[in-house]
Amino acid sequence: MLNHPQDISSFLAGSFLENRVIRSLIISESSQVALAINITQAESLPAWELLRSFLPQTQPYPLITLSWSDEDYFSRFYYQEESAD
């Protein structure tokens, strides 16, 4: 499992995503992180296809999101509310 931005850098070498900023996103209640790469809207499908091609080696499935912020993408807040009811 990839847990550091440099872990995916070798996969991106020579591609249009080489030398992009890669951020680590904390996954609450987990020892793993998600890796986020800043792309343009026009690059979203080619980026997804490229990252999807590495799935056997990288394991995490690529996701595209419109937001590039410090949001907590992995918040369990709404699910915890459900179990409390």
Side-chain angles (χ1 to χ4, degrees), residues 5 13 18 26 30 50 60 68 71 82 85:
E18 183 176 35
I26 302 300
S30 172
L50 175 65
W68 180 258
E71 267 184 66
E82 243 179 50
D85 291 340

Side-chain angles (χ1 to χ4, degrees), residues 6 19 38 43 81 83-84:
Q6 62 270 24
N19 298 321
N38 194 9
E43 294 171 325
E81 236 177 32
S83 63

